[in-house]
């Protein structure tokens, strides 16, 4: 492992803007005591990894640690205004899958100019590319942070994951994961048992998700949902999230509950395919495609149940958020059991949509109160933010 002598820091965030390749050359003096971290997120979408990173950024000790966020598209979750206010920058990158060599060259140049103490990469097996660039740039500390596992229904994606996984590990100096399952998948059980992997919970601010009946009423009125029995889902439209099975579940729910409505928050490459499925099943009038929103907490308030039938997950932050609002939650057995935080959270096999429908229909409408709130002390971002600050300090000594 390379020496971890801390570089003298010569750059920090400016209070502006998303940076393109042409504009990212600016250098600003900053106190040497601040640890500069290049936080590599990749594609941004509807929450997920970018929500987790932003939660941590808001709650780390920013007098000691500062982030620059490397993303390949903008979103409503990661906004340039907030990042600038916190002291960081958003730097737009080429897409890895389209331009891998251009991406490595670009990242190497940016790391060199930024003279970061740490590169912290959050894009799972694809992390090999920004980690290789970091090694080339001489970055002494390179953190591989895994947020996912694998699923049986994505053969090509899985082939890429399994091929790249050992190379991602090779170029990292430190290992992290969002759950035990994600840690074992990426690093192996031996390294996990040996204490060589740090698990950072996908933590949230509990106060943001405390149930507010007035917000529930407002969102329902704005969308014309009235007294509907709302089954909610928040997630990117991709194979992993299993929207196809979710729509089949809803078709079964409709047979049992005439007031039922499915609300899908998010966007992604499979949105149109799911829309066609909804239309084919004659459910168009009962399914709302909301798109990506900046206030997902308000939609949890409006839901009566939260459903996440994923084909695989690390530890979904949406599951923690939903339980923090007191919602009954239904997860597939492919989600790590660490997400079960309340008695109202259940896991079901991905076999019978009718079985899921029966369980969901046992939920009473949430009305103006929710008693089953989550015991989420281990997922409280205020404490987890302190832990991440200490982690960065320890690995740069």
């Amino acid at each position: 492992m390379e020496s971890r002598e801390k570089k003298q820091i010569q750059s920090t965030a400016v209070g502006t803007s998303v940076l393109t390749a042409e504009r990212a050359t600016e250098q600003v003096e900053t106190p040497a005591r601040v640890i500069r971290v290049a936080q590599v997120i990749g594609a941004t979408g509807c929450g997920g990894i970018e929500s987790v990173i932003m939660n941590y950024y808001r709650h780390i000790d920013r007098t000691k640690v500062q982030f620059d966020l490397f993303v390949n598209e903008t979103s409503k979750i990661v906004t340039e205004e907030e990042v600038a206010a916190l002291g960081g920058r958003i730097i737009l990158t080429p897409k890895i899958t389209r331009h891998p060599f251009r991406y490595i060259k670009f990242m190497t140049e940016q790391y060199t100019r930024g003279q970061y103490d740490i590169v912290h990469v959050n894009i799972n097996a694809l992390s090999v590319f920004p980690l290789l660039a970091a090694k080339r740039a001489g970055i002494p500390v390179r953190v591989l942070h895994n947020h996912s596992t694998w699923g049986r229904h994505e053969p090509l994606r899985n082939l890429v994951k399994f091929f790249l996984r050992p190379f991602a590990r090779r170029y990292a100096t430190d290992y992290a994961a969002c759950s035990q399952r994600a840690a074992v998948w990426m690093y192996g059980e031996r390294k996990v048992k040996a204490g060589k992997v740090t698990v950072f919970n996908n933590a949230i601010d509990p106060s943001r998700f405390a149930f507010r009946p007035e917000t529930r009423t407002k969102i329902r009125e704005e969308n014309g949902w009235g007294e509907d029995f709302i089954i909610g889902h928040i997630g990117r439209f991709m194979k992993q999230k299993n929207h196809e099975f979710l729509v089949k579940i809803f078709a079964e729910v409709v047979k049992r509950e005439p007031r039922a409505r499915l609300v899908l928050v998010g966007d992604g490459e499979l949105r149109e395919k799911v829309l066609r499925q909804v239309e084919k099943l004659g459910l168009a009038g009962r399914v709302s495609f909301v798109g990506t929103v900046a206030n997902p907490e308000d939609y949890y308030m409006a839901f009566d149940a939260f459903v996440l039938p994923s084909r695989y997950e690390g530890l979904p932050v949406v599951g923690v958020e939903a339980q923090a609002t007191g919602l009954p939650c239904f997860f597939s057995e492919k989600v790590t059991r660490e997400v079960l935080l309340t008695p109202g959270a259940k896991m079901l096999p991905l076999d019978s949509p009718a079985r899921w429908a029966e369980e969901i229909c046992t939920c009473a409408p949430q009305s103006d109160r929710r008693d089953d709130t989550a015991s989420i002390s281990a997922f409280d971002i205020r404490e987890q933010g302190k832990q991440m600050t200490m982690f960065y300090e320890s690995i740069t000594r």
Side-chain angles (χ1 to χ4, degrees):
M1 184 177 296
E2 297 182 9
S3 170
R4 294 188 175 175
E5 292 183 6
K6 195 173 178 182
K7 294 183 178 182
Q8 182 180 5
I9 302 168
Q10 297 177 333
S11 69
T12 189
V14 292
T16 64
S17 74
V18 174
L19 297 186
T20 60
E22 292 76 18
R23 296 168 57 200
T25 58
E26 299 178 13
Q27 301 290 312
V28 181
E29 291 295 322
T30 191
R33 62 187 175 85
V34 177
I35 299 170
R36 298 296 308 178
V37 182
Q39 201 71 244
V40 182
I41 300 175
T44 59
C46 182
I49 294 172
E50 62 270 25
S51 286
V52 172
I53 299 304
M54 285 304 296
N55 283 342
Y56 273 101
Y57 194 16
R58 296 177 188 114
H59 291 88
I60 60 170
D61 186 341
R62 293 189 300 279
T63 67
K64 297 179 179 179
V65 180
Q66 271 293 340
F67 291 172
D68 283 347
L69 278 65
F70 288 73
V71 303
N72 63 26
E73 59 186 81
T74 56
S75 79
K76 296 180 181 179
I77 304 297
V78 182
T79 65
E80 57 185 283
E81 294 82 8
E82 181 180 9
V83 172
L86 293 173
R89 302 180 296 177
I90 293 178
I91 300 174
L92 297 181
T93 75
K95 289 188 176 181
I96 299 176
T97 52
R98 292 185 183 177
H99 310 286
F101 297 108
R102 178 183 165 199
Y103 179 89
I104 292 172
K105 181 176 183 293
F106 175 87
M107 296 298 279
T108 302
E109 293 172 351
Q110 297 309 310
Y111 294 152
T112 301
R113 289 168 180 161
Q115 296 195 359
Y116 296 100
D117 298 282
I118 300 170
V119 168
H120 188 152
V121 186
N122 300 275
I123 52 177
N124 309 321
L126 288 175
S127 296
V128 59
F129 298 105
L131 288 171
L132 171 60
K135 184 175 176 63
R136 288 184 172 183
I139 304 299
V141 184
R142 304 179 296 276
V143 181
L144 170 59
H145 193 153
N146 187 45
H147 295 263
S148 186
T149 55
W150 70 287
R152 294 183 182 277
H153 301 280
E154 297 179 298
L156 181 58
R157 183 185 289 263
N158 290 332
L159 182 63
V160 172
K161 284 184 176 182
F162 282 104
F163 176 75
L164 293 179
R165 180 171 56 175
F167 297 100
R169 296 193 299 252
R170 176 180 178 182
Y171 294 118
T173 60
D174 295 87
Y175 301 149
C178 67
S179 69
Q180 289 294 316
R181 177 182 287 185
V184 170
W185 184 85
M186 176 62 78
Y187 310 111
E189 195 166 348
R190 183 179 299 178
K191 280 188 170 60
V192 174
K193 287 184 175 179
K196 294 183 178 180
V197 182
T198 302
V199 173
F200 291 105
N201 289 331
N202 287 347
I204 66 170
D205 180 355
S207 63
R208 180 182 170 191
F209 295 91
F211 181 63
R212 300 182 299 277
E214 65 278 10
T215 300
R216 174 183 173 85
T217 300
K218 176 176 177 289
I219 294 295
R220 282 175 165 256
E221 288 180 350
E222 287 178 351
N223 290 279
W225 296 336
E227 298 301 316
D228 290 348
F229 178 71
I230 296 184
I231 298 164
H233 173 91
I234 297 181
R236 188 174 180 86
F237 284 81
M238 58 191 300
K239 192 113 179 171
Q240 172 189 349
K241 301 302 179 181
N242 207 5
H243 286 83
E244 179 184 3
F245 190 78
L246 176 57
V247 172
K248 291 178 181 178
I249 292 171
F250 182 66
E252 292 293 332
V253 170
V254 168
K255 297 176 183 178
R256 297 161 173 79
E257 174 52 71
R259 300 175 302 154
R261 171 174 293 276
L262 178 62
V263 175
L264 302 175
V265 179
D267 210 340
E269 58 269 25
L270 296 182
R271 183 181 184 277
E272 292 303 315
K273 181 178 180 181
V274 175
L275 180 59
R276 290 193 297 271
Q277 180 190 6
V278 166
E279 292 172 344
K280 184 177 180 179
L281 292 173
L283 299 172
R286 292 175 174 267
V287 180
S288 298
F289 290 78
V290 174
T292 303
V293 299
N295 57 331
E297 65 275 16
D298 294 349
Y299 286 83
Y300 292 120
M301 312 294 171
F303 296 165
D304 293 301
F306 180 79
V307 183
L308 189 71
S310 300
R311 289 187 166 97
Y312 60 93
E313 290 280 358
L315 196 154
V317 67
V318 290
V320 180
E321 293 172 348
Q323 289 175 87
T325 68
L327 270 174
C329 294
F330 301 87
F331 304 104
S332 77
E333 291 180 344
K334 300 298 183 180
V335 179
T336 177
R337 295 191 68 83
E338 292 163 77
V339 79
L340 296 178
L341 303 175
T342 67
K346 298 180 180 180
M347 284 190 160
L348 296 166
L350 290 173
D351 52 9
S352 169
R355 179 179 174 185
W356 283 68
E358 289 170 5
E359 292 283 352
I360 292 167
C361 287
T362 63
C363 298
Q366 295 297 296
S367 65
D368 62 349
R369 59 175 298 181
R370 292 184 187 173
D371 297 322
D372 189 20
T373 53
S375 174
I376 59 169
S377 58
F379 291 83
D380 189 326
I381 191 60
R382 292 165 294 193
E383 291 303 316
Q384 288 291 300
K386 294 176 184 177
Q387 294 299 316
M388 182 167 280
T389 301
M390 293 169 59
F391 171 75
Y392 287 140
E393 290 179 317
S394 69
I395 62 178
T396 52
R397 287 178 184 142

